[in-house]
Amino acid sequence: MHKLLTDGHGRKASYMRVSVTDRCNLRCTYCAGEGREFIPHPDILRYEEILDLMDMATRLGVIKFRFTGGEPFVRKDFAEFMIAAAHRFPGVDMCVTSNATLIGDHVARLAGAGIRRINISLDTLDPAKFLRITGHDLYHTVRDNIDRCLDAGMDVKVNAVAMKGFNDDELSAFVDFARNHPLDMRFIEFMPVGLETGWNDQTVWKAEDILAQAQALAKLTPSPDAGGVIGGPARMYDIDGGKGRIGLISPYTNHFCDTCNRLRLTSDGNLRTCLFSDKVYRLRPVLRHPRLGIPAVERIITRASRHKPMGYKLLERMAGQGVCKTRMASIGG
Ligand code: SAM
């Protein structure tokens, strides 16, 4: 059965990132930008439609889902939806990526429903810089909510987009943060995805440089990535005498396309097989068509998966520009 989502390079898609909305309450300069249009509500997949697509994906061999956005928690009843999804797919790895500004009231219920893993985006440990990059004075809310997740026993990964000229002066603070908290502090290389993000190759703070600089600040030992049922692309390091770990994700300088197992479903029902490509497969009209529906969608996904590209080839061809014009906030990261 799993062969159905195997591509021409022998990779098997087993992980689907599901964006539930393109709306976000923050305006991170490198991700959302200003003045963009949102997907009209009727074009956003209903929760029942998402569950039907997840059901189909599990039959095709997907064993891990990550909900993302926009910001998933801005969508009405998202926490209830995620809990319902966790109940419906009990053996499946289910996690969420959030900016953690709105999760405070939901943490206990999510943890109680068995949702143990959360990725939280936090690009700076300086409240003034947080305001500058996100447009909102919510740094302390995020920090409090990280504590709440930890107190609820969740496995917390904090992700910072590593940007020269923005947070490369904070490495020591980030290392201390990971030393003092039982969480994974991961740096993701800034990617040339979306237009007007401020990306250029001078703003990329490369994973190898981060590692070398961090090694001068702490004794780091390679640690196996305990990233759930299927490990992720992060290289993780234990910090001598620390509670947490440091991690590096290097999609730009050291791509992991050879082992890419991801499919992406956007909130308006488009399938993307590669983050670095604008190619989309429009599932929504097929899903909603009275005579087509899930069996036809299944055929599209199976065929699309076979043609999943090697993203780094697109990166090489498009060096210096945005490889994919769609904003990360619309794709889901
Ligand atoms: N709102 C949620 C959040 O803040 O995590 C989920 C959506 S956000 C698009 C998902 C992730 O993509 C975040 O960690 C964000 O920092 C990351 N991201 C956005 N633009 C990026 C870029 N150009 N390069 C690398 N990561 C990026």
Side-chain angles (χ1 to χ4, degrees), residues 15-23 65-73 75 78 81-82 95-98 121 263-267 328-333:
Y15 172 20
M16 184 178 273
R17 296 177 67 100
V18 178
S19 173
V20 296
T21 180
D22 63 333
R23 276 113 171 130
F65 293 98
R66 172 176 301 287
F67 296 112
T68 176
E71 169 51 39
F73 288 91
R75 180 158 174 183
F78 171 71
F81 162 70
M82 189 168 174
C95 29
V96 60
T97 294
S98 170
S121 304
L263 295 175
R264 291 176 165 83
L265 179 66
T266 62
S267 56
M328 205 70 114
S330 302
I331 304 173

Side-chain angles (χ1 to χ4, degrees), residues 116-178:
R116 317 296 308 176
R117 302 199 305 109
I118 185 162
N119 286 12
I120 294 176
S121 304
L122 180 63
D123 302 316
T124 175
L125 296 171
D126 174 339
K129 279 163 83 176
F130 185 95
L131 170 60
R132 204 164 84 221
I133 197 139
T134 67
H136 291 267
D137 190 10
L138 290 170
Y139 172 79
H140 294 289
T141 305
V142 174
R143 286 296 302 269
D144 288 350
N145 286 338
I146 290 175
D147 289 343
R148 277 190 208 206
C149 292
L150 292 173
D151 291 345
M154 283 184 166
D155 168 5
V156 177
K157 293 181 170 54
V158 176
N159 294 325
V161 180
M163 291 172 280
K164 273 202 180 148
F166 179 70
N167 52 12
D168 57 336
D169 58 345
E170 290 190 63
L171 187 56
S172 167
F174 278 121
V175 170
D176 281 345
F177 180 58

